[in-house]
Amino acid sequence: MATDKQTKIRTRIRNGVTDVLVLVDHPMETGLRTDKKTKKKIPPHFIQVMSFFLNGKEVATANLGTAVSKDPLIGIKLKNAKPGDKLKITWSDNKGESGTGETTIKAD
Amino acid sequence: MTHLSRRTFLKSTLTTAVLATVGGTGLLATRRALAAEWPKAAFTAKKLEEAVKALYGTDQMSPSASVKLKAPTQAENSAQVQIQVSAEMPNVEDIAVFVEQNPSPLVARASFHGAEGYFSARMKMAQTSDVYAVVRSGGKLYFTKQNVKVTVGGCGG
């Protein structure tokens, strides 16, 4: 399913290691909160799987739970990445929504 | 075969399959398949030990100084607690973060097939708790823990 939720990626090369930070616009609803007006439980809505691809090869996979904060900011590090490499992030949530973000690693 | 027995059969084979994979008999491919599937049992477990066991097939883990957990000693905002885990050991396969006193302790886990043994995120905490960073390397589990204080009202002190 397509989504309007943005996936932003920031990279920075420091001492040969590339820091990757991914920010997704997502409510990360736990399912434990109650709507103050209707007194009904707000159903859970959260990202479950996030995959990191470097030049098309999957280098890391993260599983997230409801305890990850709203608008999750997830960081990983890559040692073998260099400027010009393509980085792609995909995610999917418990409601079947998914998103993708792509970037090219730049030299600092 | 009756309907009931077929259900039971499916259930038991599924459990065996999951246990076999978690047991680490697997190749890289099966491990990757496991992370691609969201591990529901581990995320819904209510106790730390149960969650670790559901995720890794064992709750045997040893404390290690090679597992570095960076977290605040006191959380200003319990809905946004910044944590960083880095594993300073070779062959890091997996990193998981648990908050012992959360309704479901498992916060997140990451599997690595090329990336460094590092994971950072922001998480919610229900109350003051020990935070566990668990690392799997060479099929063994290592951990470090730190207490993070949550102040109601968020005024610190």
Side-chain angles (χ1 to χ4, degrees):
Chain A
M1 207 199 291
T3 181
D4 54 351
K5 296 178 176 67
Q6 283 203 35
T7 308
K8 290 177 201 150
I9 310 169
R10 208 176 66 198
T11 62
R12 185 162 78 151
I13 303 176
R14 226 176 4 179
N15 304 327
V17 178
T18 309
D19 292 331
V20 179
L21 269 179
V22 184
L23 179 68
V24 186
D25 229 351
H26 201 285
M28 295 303 280
E29 207 47 79
T30 58
L32 302 171
R33 291 201 313 147
T34 319
D35 189 310
K36 282 195 183 98
K37 281 186 193 135
T38 62
K39 309 278 181 220
K40 276 192 187 139
K41 278 265 171 85
I42 302 171
H45 187 198
F46 60 101
I47 295 176
Q48 293 185 317
V49 180
M50 187 182 274
S51 303
F52 301 78
F53 298 87
L54 180 66
N55 294 326
K57 183 192 175 287
E58 188 169 5
V59 289
T61 316
N63 295 144
L64 311 184
T66 52
V68 173
S69 302
K70 179 177 183 284
D71 300 334
L73 181 69
I74 306 295
I76 63 157
K77 285 184 197 285
L78 300 168
K79 209 170 223 173
N80 38 12
K82 48 189 189 303
D85 281 355
K86 297 258 187 284
L87 191 66
K88 185 174 139 187
I89 317 289
T90 62
W91 57 263
S92 59
D93 68 23
N94 66 320
K95 287 188 175 174
E97 263 186 88
S98 60
T100 306
E102 276 178 270
T103 192
T104 304
I105 297 171
K106 285 182 203 75
D108 271 341
Chain B
M1 200 184 264
T2 67
H3 187 68
L4 185 71
S5 67
R6 192 179 66 129
R7 276 295 125 211
T8 327
F9 171 74
L10 282 175
K11 220 182 198 171
S12 59
T13 39
L14 195 69
T15 321
T16 326
V18 168
L19 281 180
T21 330
V22 173
T25 52
L27 305 146
L28 193 65
T30 50
R31 222 181 274 137
R32 196 176 298 187
L34 193 71
E37 284 285 310
W38 191 68
K40 188 165 186 230
F43 274 105
T44 48
K46 304 279 176 231
K47 290 237 158 60
L48 176 74
E49 296 77 21
E50 289 168 17
V52 175
K53 204 160 188 175
L55 189 61
Y56 293 120
T58 173
D59 57 4
Q60 295 296 311
M61 46 185 193
S62 23
S64 167
S66 300
V67 182
K68 303 268 189 242
L69 169 66
K70 205 172 140 193
T73 46
Q74 186 150 31
E76 299 271 319
N77 177 356
S78 64
Q80 300 272 354
V81 184
Q82 176 76 44
I83 43 138
Q84 286 177 19
V85 183
S86 50
E88 294 166 353
M89 48 181 79
N91 304 318
V92 175
E93 297 152 6
D94 222 281
I95 289 180
V97 179
F98 301 85
V99 175
E100 195 171 17
Q101 301 298 330
N102 265 9
S104 321
L106 180 56
V107 174
R109 72 82 79 94
S111 309
F112 306 101
H113 350 280
E116 293 301 290
Y118 172 88
F119 180 76
S120 77
R122 292 182 304 200
M123 63 180 188
K124 301 168 207 164
M125 289 183 67
Q127 53 180 294
T128 298
S129 170
D130 277 344
V131 175
Y132 283 75
V134 177
V135 171
R136 187 170 71 180
S137 161
K140 287 206 174 68
L141 298 182
Y142 304 94
F143 79 96
T144 191
K145 65 172 178 177
Q146 190 196 313
N147 191 267
V148 177
K149 272 205 180 77
V150 172
T151 44
V152 180
C155 291

